Structures are given as C-alpha cells and as structure tokens.
C-alpha cells in the first residue's frame, strides 16, 4: 500500500520517538500524550484529539496494538488492524507522532515519553488515568477533555450490526 511519505514518517518505534522527543525538548517545545484504540475514527475522537493538541506544541498518540485491543475489547476488535489505524491517525493534522504499544496499559510508554501533559477523555477520572501520578510527579499536568455525547466506537459498531 502506498502512503504519502510524510504520513509514514509520523509513525515511530520507541527509539525513533525518543530521538524525536529529544529534538523537540532541545527546541523548548512541550509534548502532550494521549492514547487509545481509535478503531473507527469518529467525531468524538476528532474533538478529543483536537483538544489534546491545544495543550502542547506537539501531540503524541499511543495506539493499542491489535493484540492489546483484543485483550481489552474482545475477539471481535479491532475492526481495523493496527497498521491501518496508525496510518489514519498519522494522517490527522493535529497528530505529530503515533506509536503502537503492546501492553494493556500505556504506563511504560508514558514513562518513556515523559510528556508535559497527559490527556484523556471525560469518561475517566483522575484516579483512573494510567500514568497520571507519574506525569504529575515529574512536574507535568493531566487534562481530562469532555467527551462528545452520542459518539463511541461501540455504539457505531452496534448501529452497523443493526443494518
């Protein structure tokens, strides 16, 4: 599959992302981090990612791998495989870097990225946000964005299955 080169360049492995993060830090830029499955992109995702991007100079998105998604969401998910989801995510203007992670939580990735701002959707409380303690202990902030009511991947899949 041919993907415009600039999109592919926004998809990183951990060493590549850490190199890019060092470059951004040398320029005194701030980094926001959010994560999720982002299986079927919808209006709620776009709103959340847009708000997350406003919190810092650069936005890094941690994307659950296919195996991680299956463990968290069940055998019927993801609908779109990790490569397709990474390409779609990297094609968004507000997203500066995408990285896949295999674990059930992004804790190790968050500690490796050391973001200035950790952003999650409003369906989480501060106590439920993985990595919140670590980010705040390092002097960062945690932001909870409001969710857009009526938009969820599970809801969309339910509607599609009713057709």
């Amino acid at each position: 599959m041919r993907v415009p080169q600039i999109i592919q360049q926004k998809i990183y492995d951990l060493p590549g992302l850490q190199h890019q993060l060092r470059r951004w830090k040398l320029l005194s830029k701030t980094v926001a981090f959010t994560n999720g499955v982002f299986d079927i992109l919808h209006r709620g995702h776009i709103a959340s990612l847009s708000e997350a991007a406003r919190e810092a100079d650069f936005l890094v998105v941690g994307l659950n791998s296919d195996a991680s998604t299956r463990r968290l969401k069940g055998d019927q998910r993801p609908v779109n495989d990790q490569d397709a989801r990474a390409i779609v995510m990297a094609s968004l203007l507000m997203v500066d870097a995408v990285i896949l992670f295999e674990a059930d939580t992004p804790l190790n990735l968050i500690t490796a990225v050391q973001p200035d701002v950790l952003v999650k959707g409003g369906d989480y409380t501060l106590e439920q946000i993985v990595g919140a303690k670590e980010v705040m202990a390092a002097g960062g902030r945690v932001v909870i964005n409001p969710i857009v009511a009526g938009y969820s991947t599970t809801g969309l899949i339910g509607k599609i299955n009713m057709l």
Side-chain angles (χ1 to χ4, degrees), residues 70-71 73-78:
R70 279 190 291 278
R71 288 191 303 272
K73 304 283 186 176
D75 288 338
Q76 299 303 312
R77 301 278 299 277

Short mmCIF file of all heavy atoms in Angstrom, two decimals, residues 70-71 73-78:
data_model
loop_
_atom_site.label_atom_id
_atom_site.label_comp_id
_atom_site.label_asym_id
_atom_site.label_seq_id
_atom_site.Cartn_x
_atom_site.Cartn_y
_atom_site.Cartn_z
N ARG A 70 -7.55 -6.65 21.39
CA ARG A 70 -8.34 -7.87 21.60
C ARG A 70 -8.47 -8.21 23.08
O ARG A 70 -9.54 -8.59 23.55
CB ARG A 70 -7.73 -9.05 20.83
CG ARG A 70 -8.10 -9.08 19.36
CD ARG A 70 -7.70 -10.38 18.68
NE ARG A 70 -6.26 -10.52 18.55
CZ ARG A 70 -5.53 -9.96 17.59
NH1 ARG A 70 -6.11 -9.20 16.69
NH2 ARG A 70 -4.23 -10.14 17.56
N ARG A 71 -7.37 -8.04 23.82
CA ARG A 71 -7.43 -8.33 25.26
C ARG A 71 -8.38 -7.36 25.98
O ARG A 71 -9.07 -7.75 26.92
CB ARG A 71 -6.04 -8.26 25.87
CG ARG A 71 -5.14 -9.42 25.49
CD ARG A 71 -3.87 -9.49 26.31
NE ARG A 71 -3.05 -8.28 26.25
CZ ARG A 71 -2.11 -8.04 25.35
NH1 ARG A 71 -1.86 -8.93 24.39
NH2 ARG A 71 -1.42 -6.92 25.39
N LYS A 73 -10.88 -5.32 24.44
CA LYS A 73 -12.20 -5.12 23.84
C LYS A 73 -12.89 -6.40 23.38
O LYS A 73 -14.06 -6.36 23.01
CB LYS A 73 -12.08 -4.18 22.62
CG LYS A 73 -11.45 -2.83 22.91
CD LYS A 73 -12.41 -1.91 23.60
CE LYS A 73 -11.80 -0.52 23.76
NZ LYS A 73 -12.74 0.42 24.35
N GLY A 74 -12.16 -7.51 23.35
CA GLY A 74 -12.76 -8.77 22.90
C GLY A 74 -12.26 -9.18 21.53
O GLY A 74 -11.63 -8.40 20.81
N ASP A 75 -12.60 -10.43 21.17
CA ASP A 75 -12.06 -11.02 19.94
C ASP A 75 -12.58 -10.38 18.66
O ASP A 75 -12.00 -10.58 17.60
CB ASP A 75 -12.36 -12.53 19.91
CG ASP A 75 -11.51 -13.29 20.91
OD1 ASP A 75 -10.44 -12.78 21.31
OD2 ASP A 75 -11.92 -14.40 21.30
N GLN A 76 -13.68 -9.66 18.73
CA GLN A 76 -14.23 -9.03 17.52
C GLN A 76 -13.54 -7.69 17.19
O GLN A 76 -13.85 -7.08 16.17
CB GLN A 76 -15.73 -8.80 17.68
CG GLN A 76 -16.51 -10.08 17.89
CD GLN A 76 -16.31 -11.08 16.76
OE1 GLN A 76 -16.40 -10.73 15.59
NE2 GLN A 76 -16.00 -12.31 17.12
N ARG A 77 -12.66 -7.27 18.03
CA ARG A 77 -11.97 -5.99 17.83
C ARG A 77 -10.49 -6.23 17.73
O ARG A 77 -10.00 -7.22 18.26
CB ARG A 77 -12.26 -5.05 19.02
CG ARG A 77 -13.72 -4.74 19.25
CD ARG A 77 -14.28 -3.66 18.38
NE ARG A 77 -13.63 -2.38 18.54
CZ ARG A 77 -13.92 -1.49 19.49
NH1 ARG A 77 -14.84 -1.74 20.37
NH2 ARG A 77 -13.29 -0.35 19.52
N PRO A 78 -9.74 -5.42 17.05
CA PRO A 78 -10.20 -4.22 16.37
C PRO A 78 -10.85 -4.54 15.03
O PRO A 78 -10.59 -5.59 14.43
CB PRO A 78 -8.92 -3.43 16.15
CG PRO A 78 -7.87 -4.48 15.98
CD PRO A 78 -8.29 -5.61 16.91
#
